[in-house]
Amino acid sequence: MNANRMRKMRCFGGAQRRAPDGMTVVEAIVAMVIALAVLATVGQLLALAAGQRRAAGQRAAAVREAGNLMEEVMARPWVEVTPDKLAEVSLSESCRQSLPGAQLRWETTAEGEPAGAKRISLRIDWQDRAGQRGEPVRLVAWRYPDEEPKP
């Protein structure tokens, strides 16, 4: 069929009328509404992804800090691993900046017969953007007495 003939429409009474070229106003409005809905959805997904990335970064910072603090405590002599000495250990400045409202808690318990081992646990928690405390990072280690050098 001829392209011109496809554009023509037959009306009642045998008169021929040409179909309009381009979009109608209704079609344009519908297309804009669909485009806005897609943009709104994409915007929400991007905001959600950014929030999740921020939360993952904060959790990674807390895990690194917990590992560093536990390593520092485990390198101390046996007699210095006491609740009083652990209370002096605090979070680093970079950790405090990246984790709003960060808190560090230490707990030490003796395990085993006469000073067999000490169970040392630390907990770091912080506030999220909404001001609520999320799932804290916990790390537990066991410290055994230093061996005496043998002659």
Side-chain angles (χ1 to χ4, degrees):
M1 283 188 157
N2 190 349
N4 271 341
R5 202 175 256 183
M6 289 182 67
R7 286 189 194 157
K8 294 181 182 178
M9 294 178 59
R10 191 172 280 293
C11 292
F12 294 108
Q16 291 186 349
R17 195 179 103 193
R18 186 180 159 126
D21 289 334
M23 296 174 80
T24 64
V25 174
V26 174
E27 290 172 330
I29 291 173
V30 169
M32 283 192 284
V33 167
I34 291 171
L36 287 175
V38 169
L39 285 175
T41 303
V42 169
Q44 288 176 346
L45 288 175
L46 289 176
L48 179 66
Q52 292 296 322
R53 183 173 29 198
R54 185 175 25 263
Q58 286 178 333
R59 185 156 191 82
V63 167
R64 282 191 304 269
E65 184 72 10
N68 289 339
L69 291 173
M70 189 61 81
E71 185 177 350
E72 176 186 328
V73 167
M74 295 303 281
R76 293 178 176 200
W78 169 261
V79 294
E80 289 187 22
V81 182
T82 63
D84 295 335
K85 294 285 187 178
L86 292 178
E88 297 172 3
V89 177
S90 63
L91 297 170
S92 68
E93 187 59 35
S94 64
C95 179
R96 289 187 186 278
Q97 289 175 355
S98 62
L99 301 176
Q103 294 179 348
L104 172 65
R105 293 189 183 105
W106 290 98
E107 186 179 315
T108 309
T109 55
E111 294 195 3
E113 286 306 308
K118 292 180 185 177
R119 181 180 183 264
I120 306 163
S121 62
L122 71 84
R123 173 184 162 154
I124 300 175
D125 65 348
W126 63 96
Q127 295 176 345
D128 60 10
R129 291 187 75 181
Q132 298 176 353
R133 296 232 173 249
E135 184 67 27
V137 169
R138 294 181 178 98
L139 188 59
V140 178
W142 283 263
R143 178 74 162 83
Y144 293 90
D146 299 327
E147 290 185 21
E148 295 181 20
K150 297 186 180 185

